[in-house]
PDB file of all heavy atoms in Angstrom:
ATOM      1  N   VAL S 214      22.612 -29.727   6.563  1.00 89.00           N
ATOM      2  CA  VAL S 214      22.332 -29.236   7.931  1.00 89.00           C
ATOM      3  C   VAL S 214      20.947 -29.602   8.366  1.00 89.00           C
ATOM      4  O   VAL S 214      20.744 -29.967   9.529  1.00 89.00           O
ATOM      5  CB  VAL S 214      22.717 -27.821   8.249  1.00 89.00           C
ATOM      6  CG1 VAL S 214      24.185 -27.545   8.035  1.00 89.00           C
ATOM      7  CG2 VAL S 214      21.861 -26.809   7.398  1.00 89.00           C
ATOM      8  N   GLY S 244       8.241 -30.976  14.716  1.00 93.00           N
ATOM      9  CA  GLY S 244       9.712 -30.899  14.390  1.00 93.00           C
ATOM     10  C   GLY S 244       9.948 -31.165  12.885  1.00 93.00           C
ATOM     11  O   GLY S 244      10.707 -30.421  12.283  1.00 93.00           O
ATOM     12  N   PHE S 247       8.854 -28.078  10.969  1.00 92.00           N
ATOM     13  CA  PHE S 247       9.838 -27.006  11.122  1.00 92.00           C
ATOM     14  C   PHE S 247      10.939 -27.131  10.171  1.00 92.00           C
ATOM     15  O   PHE S 247      11.380 -26.313   9.430  1.00 92.00           O
ATOM     16  CB  PHE S 247      10.262 -26.840  12.539  1.00 92.00           C
ATOM     17  CG  PHE S 247      11.079 -25.550  12.751  1.00 92.00           C
ATOM     18  CD1 PHE S 247      10.454 -24.353  13.007  1.00 92.00           C
ATOM     19  CD2 PHE S 247      12.517 -25.581  12.584  1.00 92.00           C
ATOM     20  CE1 PHE S 247      11.264 -23.192  13.160  1.00 92.00           C
ATOM     21  CE2 PHE S 247      13.248 -24.483  12.746  1.00 92.00           C
ATOM     22  CZ  PHE S 247      12.593 -23.212  13.017  1.00 92.00           C
ATOM     23  N   MET S 264      24.084 -15.602  -4.774  1.00 64.00           N
ATOM     24  CA  MET S 264      24.993 -15.613  -5.916  1.00 64.00           C
ATOM     25  C   MET S 264      26.409 -15.218  -5.400  1.00 64.00           C
ATOM     26  O   MET S 264      26.597 -14.938  -4.163  1.00 64.00           O
ATOM     27  CB  MET S 264      24.451 -14.560  -6.916  1.00 64.00           C
ATOM     28  CG  MET S 264      24.325 -13.046  -6.404  1.00 64.00           C
ATOM     29  SD  MET S 264      23.593 -12.005  -7.539  1.00 64.00           S
ATOM     30  CE  MET S 264      21.845 -12.530  -7.608  1.00 64.00           C
ATOM     31  N   CYS S 283      18.793 -29.333  16.712  1.00 96.00           N
ATOM     32  CA  CYS S 283      19.243 -30.614  17.407  1.00 96.00           C
ATOM     33  C   CYS S 283      19.046 -30.567  18.865  1.00 96.00           C
ATOM     34  O   CYS S 283      18.638 -31.427  19.492  1.00 96.00           O
ATOM     35  CB  CYS S 283      20.707 -30.925  17.063  1.00 96.00           C
ATOM     36  SG  CYS S 283      20.902 -31.393  15.269  1.00 96.00           S
ATOM     37  N   SER S 299      12.586 -24.036  20.849  1.00 96.00           N
ATOM     38  CA  SER S 299      11.834 -23.499  19.686  1.00 96.00           C
ATOM     39  C   SER S 299      11.874 -22.045  19.546  1.00 96.00           C
ATOM     40  O   SER S 299      12.065 -21.490  18.417  1.00 96.00           O
ATOM     41  CB  SER S 299      10.339 -23.974  19.768  1.00 96.00           C
ATOM     42  OG  SER S 299      10.230 -25.403  19.762  1.00 96.00           O
ATOM     43  N   THR S 306      16.226 -17.671  13.283  1.00 95.00           N
ATOM     44  CA  THR S 306      15.671 -17.515  12.000  1.00 95.00           C
ATOM     45  C   THR S 306      15.277 -16.053  11.662  1.00 95.00           C
ATOM     46  O   THR S 306      15.471 -15.612  10.534  1.00 95.00           O
ATOM     47  CB  THR S 306      14.399 -18.474  11.794  1.00 95.00           C
ATOM     48  OG1 THR S 306      14.829 -19.784  12.160  1.00 95.00           O
ATOM     49  CG2 THR S 306      13.817 -18.387  10.400  1.00 95.00           C
ATOM     50  N   TYR S 312      19.348 -10.604   8.117  1.00 94.00           N
ATOM     51  CA  TYR S 312      20.603 -10.688   7.409  1.00 94.00           C
ATOM     52  C   TYR S 312      20.348 -10.812   5.900  1.00 94.00           C
ATOM     53  O   TYR S 312      21.011 -10.221   5.057  1.00 94.00           O
ATOM     54  CB  TYR S 312      21.366 -11.843   7.968  1.00 94.00           C
ATOM     55  CG  TYR S 312      22.874 -11.883   7.516  1.00 94.00           C
ATOM     56  CD1 TYR S 312      23.857 -11.113   8.255  1.00 94.00           C
ATOM     57  CD2 TYR S 312      23.262 -12.470   6.299  1.00 94.00           C
ATOM     58  CE1 TYR S 312      25.143 -11.250   7.848  1.00 94.00           C
ATOM     59  CE2 TYR S 312      24.553 -12.509   5.930  1.00 94.00           C
ATOM     60  CZ  TYR S 312      25.502 -11.853   6.706  1.00 94.00           C
ATOM     61  OH  TYR S 312      26.838 -11.852   6.275  1.00 94.00           O
ATOM     62  N   ILE S 337      10.798 -10.844  -4.767  1.00 88.00           N
ATOM     63  CA  ILE S 337      11.608 -11.387  -3.709  1.00 88.00           C
ATOM     64  C   ILE S 337      11.609 -10.447  -2.468  1.00 88.00           C
ATOM     65  O   ILE S 337      11.500 -10.910  -1.308  1.00 88.00           O
ATOM     66  CB  ILE S 337      13.036 -11.583  -4.230  1.00 88.00           C
ATOM     67  CG1 ILE S 337      13.195 -12.701  -5.193  1.00 88.00           C
ATOM     68  CG2 ILE S 337      14.040 -11.839  -3.090  1.00 88.00           C
ATOM     69  CD1 ILE S 337      14.393 -12.722  -6.062  1.00 88.00           C
ATOM     70  N   HIS S 340       8.159 -10.487  -0.650  1.00 92.00           N
ATOM     71  CA  HIS S 340       7.988 -11.768   0.032  1.00 92.00           C
ATOM     72  C   HIS S 340       8.865 -11.761   1.346  1.00 92.00           C
ATOM     73  O   HIS S 340       8.367 -12.131   2.450  1.00 92.00           O
ATOM     74  CB  HIS S 340       8.372 -12.909  -0.842  1.00 92.00           C
ATOM     75  CG  HIS S 340       8.049 -14.219  -0.366  1.00 92.00           C
ATOM     76  ND1 HIS S 340       6.682 -14.606  -0.093  1.00 92.00           N
ATOM     77  CD2 HIS S 340       8.773 -15.274   0.094  1.00 92.00           C
ATOM     78  CE1 HIS S 340       6.687 -15.783   0.332  1.00 92.00           C
ATOM     79  NE2 HIS S 340       7.943 -16.318   0.454  1.00 92.00           N
ATOM     80  N   ALA S 351       5.084 -13.478  14.560  1.00 96.00           N
ATOM     81  CA  ALA S 351       3.977 -14.407  14.943  1.00 96.00           C
ATOM     82  C   ALA S 351       4.649 -15.619  15.641  1.00 96.00           C
ATOM     83  O   ALA S 351       4.248 -16.071  16.661  1.00 96.00           O
ATOM     84  CB  ALA S 351       3.084 -14.804  13.808  1.00 96.00           C
ATOM     85  N   GLY S 352       5.655 -16.206  15.020  1.00 94.00           N
ATOM     86  CA  GLY S 352       6.397 -17.376  15.531  1.00 94.00           C
ATOM     87  C   GLY S 352       7.065 -17.068  16.807  1.00 94.00           C
ATOM     88  O   GLY S 352       7.068 -17.870  17.765  1.00 94.00           O
ATOM     89  N   THR S 356       5.771 -18.875  20.329  1.00 96.00           N
ATOM     90  CA  THR S 356       6.718 -19.704  21.090  1.00 96.00           C
ATOM     91  C   THR S 356       7.141 -19.056  22.421  1.00 96.00           C
ATOM     92  O   THR S 356       7.322 -19.849  23.389  1.00 96.00           O
ATOM     93  CB  THR S 356       7.999 -20.037  20.267  1.00 96.00           C
ATOM     94  OG1 THR S 356       8.667 -18.833  19.834  1.00 96.00           O
ATOM     95  CG2 THR S 356       7.663 -20.925  19.133  1.00 96.00           C
ATOM     96  N   PHE S 357       7.177 -17.708  22.502  1.00 97.00           N
ATOM     97  CA  PHE S 357       7.453 -17.081  23.752  1.00 97.00           C
ATOM     98  C   PHE S 357       6.317 -17.333  24.709  1.00 97.00           C
ATOM     99  O   PHE S 357       6.543 -17.737  25.918  1.00 97.00           O
ATOM    100  CB  PHE S 357       7.683 -15.606  23.516  1.00 97.00           C
ATOM    101  CG  PHE S 357       7.926 -14.824  24.853  1.00 97.00           C
ATOM    102  CD1 PHE S 357       9.159 -15.095  25.540  1.00 97.00           C
ATOM    103  CD2 PHE S 357       7.064 -13.972  25.408  1.00 97.00           C
ATOM    104  CE1 PHE S 357       9.480 -14.408  26.652  1.00 97.00           C
ATOM    105  CE2 PHE S 357       7.364 -13.324  26.551  1.00 97.00           C
ATOM    106  CZ  PHE S 357       8.538 -13.453  27.213  1.00 97.00           C
ATOM    107  N   SER S 365       5.399 -22.720  33.602  1.00 96.00           N
ATOM    108  CA  SER S 365       4.626 -22.707  34.805  1.00 96.00           C
ATOM    109  C   SER S 365       3.701 -23.900  34.957  1.00 96.00           C
ATOM    110  O   SER S 365       3.235 -24.252  36.045  1.00 96.00           O
ATOM    111  CB  SER S 365       3.927 -21.394  35.026  1.00 96.00           C
ATOM    112  OG  SER S 365       2.976 -21.169  33.980  1.00 96.00           O
TER     113      SER S 365
END
Side-chain angles (χ1 to χ4, degrees):
V214 298
F247 189 88
M264 58 186 72
C283 290
S299 297
T306 305
Y312 192 91
I337 293 167
H340 191 64
T356 55
F357 180 69
S365 61

